[in-house]
Amino acid sequence: MIIEIDFNSDEAIYIQLRNQIVMGIAKEELQSGESLPSVRQMADYLGVNMHTVNKAYGMLRQEGYLTLDRRKGAVVSVQTKEKSQEVEEMNLALRMTIAQAICKEISKDEMHHIINQLYDEIMNIQED
């Protein structure tokens, strides 16, 4: 998996790193049990401060995407909560996106189309 940081983006570097790792897991580019580079290695590779990588890894650990092991480092290990709790957290995360869509006059049908298209893209589902 190749991680690319946009240093001109308004999005914080640790968020970009976190998002790309989550996307890599979703696309199965990163497998459960796979070790990520150490904080130092990742920081050197990306040309960022070690604290930035540490913050991203810590966030991923807290969110249940990684476990941190003294011997293996950061290891992909998606921990899921009860389905109802996962759905509630997703509901909260999407609430602002939907509010923004309404403000920008994006219809419910357009939102459904966007979500379906993105879901298929991430899951690598080809349309016939």
Side-chain angles (χ1 to χ4, degrees):
M1 178 180 157
I2 297 173
I3 295 177
E4 296 176 356
I5 299 298
D6 180 357
F7 292 99
N8 296 318
S9 174
D10 291 337
E11 188 171 54
I13 293 170
Y14 76 94
I15 297 291
Q16 290 182 53
L17 177 56
R18 176 241 179 237
N19 290 348
Q20 288 187 48
I21 291 172
V22 170
M23 189 65 71
I25 294 168
K27 290 183 171 186
E28 298 181 346
E29 294 170 356
L30 293 170
Q31 304 295 320
S32 184
E34 186 174 340
S35 292
L36 295 178
S38 71
V39 169
R40 181 175 307 238
Q41 289 170 328
M42 184 66 83
D44 287 345
Y45 170 74
L46 297 174
V48 300
N49 189 295
M50 286 181 11
H51 296 292
T52 301
V53 176
N54 196 45
K55 189 169 184 175
Y57 280 12
M59 181 181 248
L60 288 161
R61 182 195 55 74
Q62 184 177 9
E63 294 172 344
Y65 294 103
L66 299 179
T67 56
L68 300 178
D69 182 294
R70 290 189 189 272
R71 290 166 281 149
K72 295 182 182 178
V75 179
V76 175
S77 176
V78 178
Q79 307 295 315
T80 57
K81 302 170 190 156
E82 194 170 313
K83 178 90 173 210
S84 62
Q85 189 175 358
E86 295 289 355
V87 169
E88 180 59 28
E89 288 179 13
M90 193 60 49
N91 183 315
L92 292 172
L94 288 171
R95 184 173 292 277
M96 184 53 66
T97 300
I98 292 169
Q100 290 171 323
I102 291 168
C103 289
K104 301 291 184 171
E105 299 181 2
I106 297 171
S107 72
K108 186 188 287 189
D109 286 341
E110 289 170 315
M111 285 297 293
H112 284 175
H113 177 74
I114 291 167
I115 290 169
N116 288 334
Q117 186 176 16
L118 289 173
Y119 200 99
D120 290 349
E121 177 187 314
I122 291 168
M123 295 298 296
N124 199 24
I125 298 171
Q126 304 296 320
E127 290 189 29
D128 294 329

